Amino acid sequence: MVATSSPPSVLLRHTKPFAGNPAAVCVLDGPDWPDPAWMQRVAAELNLSETAFVRPLPTGGEADWGLRWFTPATEVNLCGHATLATVHALRSDELLGEGWVRLATRSGVLLARPEPDGSITLDFPANPHHPVPTPPGLAEALGCPVSETFDTGALADLMALLPDEKSVRTLAPNLAAVAELPTRGVIVTAPADDPSAGYQFVSRFFGPASGIPEDPVTGSAHTALAPYWGKLLGTTRLTGYQASARGGLVVCEVTGERVLLSGSAVTVLEGSLSPSAAS
């Protein structure tokens, strides 16, 4: 299991165990994917917000590794912290070469680059936001007025703009009602009260329908948040604060249709599945 976290100014930055946003990484050695139902059972057993499964691909193709992400309840299209954890695990096992690593995923081929200082840079597709009508019952489920709502394209989340930072920080949603919404999860966000605090916007992420009541720090959500706030603020490099109980500052750089995120991880547990769990 690889844990990641977010102290000031770096997404998922982690230098000690038992903090931040944990992910499990299962490194596979077979030529094909296992039964998805088996992968889902493993993810449910590990019961972390995300479990990543990674396997080597034949040389000469468009990607070096195949990567899939599962919550305890479902497979998802994109996960930032579990991708970072995967690259960390592969590097720790000395399975990576130099330069960019190409990862074949449900969101296309993603790029990641281990850096000399131990950090990892992730190159993800930006997820455009488009205004949509506020779904009936959303404000009631969140327990807060909603100013605007947006879809997030392939990310499949609903992004809700709340009146102010306090509304985001104090939000106590009805998670059973949120789970009834037709979306992977709900991102709530608002501008920072005081940009001199070191961040320009705040957010939280709720995904009870995906088995994640609240995610501590959500890299994938920032592929939609960064383009949204960057356009409003007229900048391509900005910092957000995800105001979960653990919390974390997230530095993002929007480069055209891509978002760059960087951070590091630490391994807190290693092992192998027992033969009885192998199928």
Side-chain angles (χ1 to χ4, degrees):
M1 184 172 70
V2 176
T4 58
S5 70
S6 310
S9 59
V10 183
L11 168 67
L12 305 176
R13 186 73 182 177
H14 189 69
T15 56
K16 62 181 182 179
F18 310 123
N21 200 359
V25 179
C26 293
V27 181
L28 307 170
D29 55 12
D32 300 306
W33 288 114
D35 181 356
W38 175 84
M39 292 190 284
Q40 186 63 75
R41 289 195 295 271
V42 171
E45 181 73 11
L46 295 175
N47 200 33
L48 297 171
S49 59
E50 254 86 19
T51 296
F53 296 85
V54 62
R55 68 180 181 93
L57 298 179
T59 58
E62 66 173 1
D64 309 301
W65 296 84
L67 176 61
R68 296 170 73 170
W69 310 277
F70 288 77
T71 75
T74 189
E75 185 173 7
V76 297
N77 292 333
L78 186 65
C79 179
H81 80 278
T83 302
L84 187 147
T86 297
V87 177
H88 166 80
L90 294 176
R91 177 170 58 183
S92 299
D93 288 347
E94 300 183 345
L95 296 174
L96 297 181
E98 299 293 328
W100 289 96
V101 182
R102 302 170 301 166
L103 304 164
T105 77
R106 290 176 67 167
S107 290
V109 176
L110 305 179
L111 301 178
R113 184 177 63 199
E115 305 291 358
D117 65 357
S119 66
I120 295 164
T121 298
L122 304 178
D123 181 339
F124 278 11
N127 281 287
H129 54 278
H130 302 286
V132 294
T134 300
L138 176 63
E140 292 77 10
L142 294 177
C144 176
V146 175
S147 302
E148 294 181 84
T149 52
F150 306 85
D151 71 20
T152 58
L155 195 59
D157 293 327
L158 183 71
M159 186 166 69
L161 180 65
L162 302 191
D164 50 39
E165 180 173 339
K166 180 180 179 181
S167 298
V168 173
R169 286 181 173 271
T170 61
L171 200 68
N174 179 335
L175 293 176
V178 172
E180 294 299 317
L181 297 168
T183 178
R184 179 189 80 145
V186 175
I187 306 165
V188 297
T189 188
D193 288 344
D194 179 12
S196 67
Y199 53 90
Q200 291 79 49
F201 63 91
V202 294
S203 69
R204 290 170 69 187
F205 178 87
F206 303 97
S210 301
I212 309 170
E214 179 171 4
D215 199 36
V217 183
T218 314
S220 61
H222 286 79
T223 64
L225 287 162
Y228 173 75
W229 287 110
K231 183 176 180 180
L232 283 181
L233 300 174
T235 182
T236 58
R237 187 172 175 83
L238 63 165
T239 302
Y241 180 71
Q242 188 154 335
S244 66
R246 293 190 179 206
L249 286 169
V250 180
V251 171
C252 314
E253 183 176 356
V254 182
T255 60
E257 297 181 352
R258 312 291 295 183
V259 176
L260 299 181
L261 309 171
S262 64
S264 59
V266 62
T267 302
V268 297
L269 181 67
E270 292 187 70
S272 59
L273 290 170
S274 69
S276 62
S279 61

